[in-house]
Amino acid sequence: MTAPAGRDGAMTGRNFGEEGGRLTYGSYLRLPELLAQQVPQVIPPAHDELLFITVHQAYELCFKQLLHELTAARDAMAPGETWRARQLLQRVHVIERLLVSQIDVLETMTPQDFLQFRAALAPASGFQSVQFRELEFLSGAKDPQFVGRFRALTDAERAGLARRLAEPTLWDAYLGLLRSTGLPVGNDDEILASLVTIARDRARHDDLWQLAEDLLTHDELAGLWRARHVQMVERQIGTKSGTGGSTGAPYLHKRVPMRYYPLLWELRDWL
Ligand code: HEM
C-alpha cells in the first residue's frame, strides 16, 4: 500500500510544516510585533512591572475575543439561530471564567512590589479600558456618561463606543426573538410575563429558556469578575484612591451589584 502523498517527509523531501514556505509560526502570529509591546516605564526598573503589563494586555486580547463572540451571538438571534447564539455564549462563559481566575496571577504581586511602580501609572487606569466599556454596552448596560469620563480617546475609540451605544444590545436581540415567537415584550411587565411563560413551558420554549440561562450566566460571570477585581484592589491598595481618579475600592464596590438582565433575575421571584 502506498502512503498518501505528502504524509511522509522522507517521501516528499520536505519537513512537516514547510509546505508553501511563506508563513511561519512567528510571522503568522506577528510575534516580533506582539512581543515588542511590553515596555516597562519606571526607572529604576521594578521586577513586577512586566507582569502587570502582560496581564493587562492578556485581558485586552480576551476582551477583543469576547466582543467578537458576543457580537456574533447577538447577530445570530435576529434570524432565529438560537443554537448558534448559545454555542457562542458558552465560549464566552469559558473565557470569562478564565478572566476571573487570571486575577490570581496578579495577586502573586505584593503591595510593596506594586508600590515600586504604581505612582508612575497615574493617571492611567483600567477605568479607561474602552473594550471593557464596549462589552458593558453590548451586553445591555449602556451608560453614555462613561464616554464623557474617558481621557484622551482616539477617534477610533470614540467611534467604537458611539457605535456600541447606537447598536442593539444582546438583550434587545433576545427580546426581538421573543417578539418573533409571538410573546409580548412591550414593557417590563409584559417581558416578565413572557419570561414566566417560557420558564413554565420548557417543552415548548426550550431554546428560549436555555438562551436566557446563557445570558444569565454571562451576567453572573461579569459580576463575579467585578467582585474579584475589587477584592484584589483592596488587597493591593486598601482604600487608597485609584490612579484613574476615583475613590478606588468604594467606587468599585458600588459597581459590583450592577446587572445586565435584571428581569432574568426577577423572574426567579415569580417561579
Ligand atoms: C494591581 C492590580 C489592580 C489594581 C490595584 C486596580 C485598581 C483599580 C481601581 C482603583 C479602579 C477604579 C478606577 C480608578 O480610579 O482607577 C479600577 C478600575 C478598573 N480596573 Fe483595575 N486594578 C488592577 C488590575 C486590573 C486588571 C488586571 C484589569 C484588567 C483589565 C483591570 C481593569 C479595570 C477596569 C475595567 C476598571 C473599571 C471598572 C468599572 O468602572 O467598573 N484592573 N482598577
Side-chain angles (χ1 to χ4, degrees):
M1 207 173 96
T2 44
R7 189 188 278 179
D8 185 343
M11 287 177 66
T12 60
R14 289 184 306 225
N15 290 324
F16 172 77
E18 286 188 350
E19 287 82 358
R22 278 171 303 142
L23 281 181
T24 65
Y25 177 79
S27 67
Y28 178 60
L29 298 174
R30 298 186 180 240
L31 290 185
E33 294 90 338
L34 182 67
L35 298 178
Q37 303 309 314
Q38 296 70 45
V39 187
Q41 298 287 320
V42 294
I43 300 168
H47 177 87
D48 283 4
E49 193 182 358
L50 180 63
L51 180 82
F52 189 81
I53 293 171
T54 307
V55 167
H56 277 83
Q57 289 187 347
Y59 270 103
E60 290 293 334
L61 284 175
C62 289
F63 290 166
K64 180 174 180 173
Q65 193 65 38
L66 287 178
L67 285 167
H68 183 63
E69 306 299 356
L70 288 171
T71 304
R74 179 201 61 195
D75 294 344
M77 288 191 224
E81 293 175 354
T82 46
W83 57 272
R84 178 77 180 143
R86 289 202 57 211
Q87 185 212 345
L88 296 169
L89 281 167
Q90 282 164 24
R91 178 178 296 161
V92 162
H93 302 158
V94 177
I95 298 172
E96 289 176 328
R97 288 198 180 92
L98 191 71
L99 296 188
V100 174
S101 61
Q102 194 168 290
I103 287 183
D104 295 353
V105 179
L106 210 45
E107 265 187 352
T108 62
M109 180 172 72
T110 65
Q112 304 89 307
D113 290 338
F114 184 38
L115 281 173
Q116 285 182 11
F117 60 93
R118 180 173 188 249
L121 303 179
S125 160
F127 187 78
Q128 296 158 356
S129 168
V130 170
Q131 293 199 105
F132 180 84
R133 221 51 81 183
E134 279 192 60
L135 281 168
E136 289 191 342
F137 293 172
L138 172 61
S139 296
K142 283 186 184 173
D143 185 345
Q145 283 192 349
F146 278 114
V147 182
R149 287 162 72 186
F150 273 112
R151 290 166 206 249
L153 283 175
T154 65
D155 289 347
E157 288 173 332
R158 191 173 294 283
L161 286 164
R163 186 166 55 86
R164 295 290 179 193
L165 280 175
E167 69 185 21
T169 66
L170 281 151
W171 185 241
D172 295 329
Y174 183 71
L175 294 185
L177 207 50
L178 266 52
R179 200 179 299 112
S180 68
T181 318
L183 292 160
V185 292
N187 55 41
D188 281 1
D189 287 344
E190 281 187 9
I191 296 169
L192 202 52
S194 294
L195 293 174
V196 171
T197 303
I198 291 167
R200 293 204 175 133
D201 191 355
R202 285 162 54 193
R204 187 158 163 222
H205 296 299
D206 183 59
D207 54 344
L208 293 176
W209 166 255
Q210 298 290 350
L211 184 54
E213 288 297 280
D214 287 335
L215 286 172
L216 193 79
T217 303
H218 167 51
D219 196 352
E220 192 174 55
L221 289 168
L224 209 56
W225 185 86
R226 292 193 299 275
R228 190 70 190 83
H229 171 260
V230 68
Q231 271 184 332
M232 172 186 59
V233 169
E234 288 188 311
R235 190 169 171 154
Q236 293 292 347
I237 62 169
T239 54
K240 291 177 196 152
S241 55
T243 48
S246 82
T247 53
Y251 160 75
L252 293 167
H253 273 299
K254 271 194 247 146
R255 294 221 85 226
V256 172
M258 191 263 286
R259 284 178 169 171
Y260 293 149
Y261 315 118
L263 292 179
L264 288 183
W265 295 93
E266 191 182 338
L267 166 65
R268 274 66 194 160
D269 298 347
W270 298 94
L271 296 181

